[in-house]
Amino acid sequence: AQSVAQPEDQVNVAEGNPLTVKCTYSVSGNPYLFWYVQYPNRGLQFLLKYITGDNLVKGSYGFEAEFNKSQTSFHLKKPSALVSDSALYFCAVRDYRDDKIIFGKGTRLHILP
Amino acid sequence: EAQVTQNPRYLITVTGKKLTVTCSQNMNHEYMSWYRQDPGLGLRQIYYSMNVEVTDKGDVPEGYKVSRKEKRNFPLILESPSPNQTSLYFCASSSSHRGLNSPLHFGNGTRLTVT
């Protein structure tokens, strides 16, 4: 069965520093991977996705993610964090043969001024 | 503006009193889905629909019903709510789900409290 893990409940980063939010996945076939962000009192917003092609995927708000097949990881990154990046981030995975999308438990990102 | 609209945003009810949470999208999306969000558990899928008159169970369907009579609407029905259904609920939609992997568009959520 497919699954996704976000090993950190919370990540704290100083403003201006690079940030990484970790995600690992397990699927039986080729993975389709997504990152979403949730701001307070709002629904999730799509950031970026990996389907095929380049392992480094660029998305909204300066975020990018690196797909690593050997490590089954899809970590979210940003070179220089902003206070406004503080939010809850969800990784999601879908097996291309399945209709279901599985979400991780979320990682709360705090950017410290 | 393209959006998924859920109503109500907040709902407090009592055990056993039937309720419906509405969801409507204006993007002509085929795929729609309901999730619940609980602390420490992330998002869990309740039901989803690939198109009109096609619905399937997600991971936590017990105690919920859905219908998809029109493409734009996907209401979530709790026939006899219980306190363990207190949660934050999200409706989401995407276009042509299978094969294209379009991202999900989410509503702003419905916070349900069952006493």
Side-chain angles (χ1 to χ4, degrees):
Chain A
Q2 63 200 51
S3 65
V4 59
Q6 294 181 241
E8 302 155 318
D9 291 335
Q10 182 168 309
V11 172
N12 297 320
V13 177
E15 187 177 24
N17 283 3
L19 69 87
T20 299
V21 182
K22 296 179 181 177
C23 172
T24 59
Y25 66 90
S26 174
V27 296
S28 53
N30 292 325
Y32 295 152
L33 296 154
F34 303 82
W35 275 103
Y36 290 83
V37 59
Q38 184 181 28
Y39 297 102
N41 299 315
R42 299 296 300 274
L44 281 68
Q45 297 176 32
F46 169 72
L47 276 180
L48 51 78
K49 67 179 179 181
Y50 172 83
I51 305 300
T52 186
D54 290 340
N55 290 343
L56 186 64
V57 179
K58 294 188 182 297
S60 306
Y61 312 120
F63 283 93
E64 57 190 27
E66 185 170 13
F67 171 66
N68 188 316
K69 188 173 183 178
S70 63
Q71 297 185 2
T72 61
S73 67
F74 189 55
H75 300 333
L76 182 70
K77 300 181 179 183
K78 187 173 183 180
S80 179
L82 300 172
V83 172
S84 57
D85 293 330
S86 298
L88 186 58
Y89 290 81
F90 289 94
C91 182
V93 64
R94 179 189 167 210
D95 187 323
Y96 80 104
R97 298 171 295 181
D98 195 273
D99 293 329
K100 292 184 180 179
I101 299 175
I102 303 297
F103 284 84
K105 295 182 179 180
T107 298
R108 189 163 298 280
L109 178 63
H110 285 288
I111 307 302
L112 309 171
Chain B
E1 179 188 355
Q3 58 186 2
V4 177
T5 303
Q6 290 179 235
N7 280 298
R9 288 294 307 274
Y10 301 92
L11 180 58
I12 301 174
T13 190
V14 296
T15 299
K17 186 176 182 180
K18 180 180 179 180
L19 67 90
T20 299
V21 183
T22 64
C23 174
S24 179
Q25 50 92 6
N26 62 0
M27 295 167 281
N28 201 36
H29 283 169
E30 291 84 5
Y31 181 87
M32 297 186 75
S33 181
W34 277 102
Y35 295 88
R36 60 178 289 175
Q37 183 179 9
D38 301 288
L41 297 176
L43 268 72
R44 294 179 293 168
Q45 190 175 43
I46 302 170
Y47 269 94
Y48 65 97
S49 170
M50 299 293 288
N51 214 322
V52 176
E53 302 291 1
V54 180
T55 62
D56 271 301
K57 296 178 180 179
D59 295 316
V60 288
E62 295 78 20
Y64 304 95
K65 286 176 56 178
V66 293
S67 67
R68 188 88 182 274
K69 297 177 182 178
E70 306 166 282
K71 199 172 189 179
R72 63 182 293 126
N73 295 323
F74 191 46
L76 180 69
I77 303 157
L78 283 71
E79 295 272 3
S80 183
S82 62
N84 65 12
Q85 293 178 298
T86 293
S87 186
L88 180 59
Y89 291 86
F90 287 102
C91 180
S93 71
S94 74
S95 63
S96 192
H97 187 68
R98 180 172 288 164
L100 294 184
N101 296 292
S102 300
L104 290 167
H105 296 253
F106 283 83
N108 283 331
T110 296
R111 186 167 293 281
L112 172 65
T113 302
V114 184
T115 61

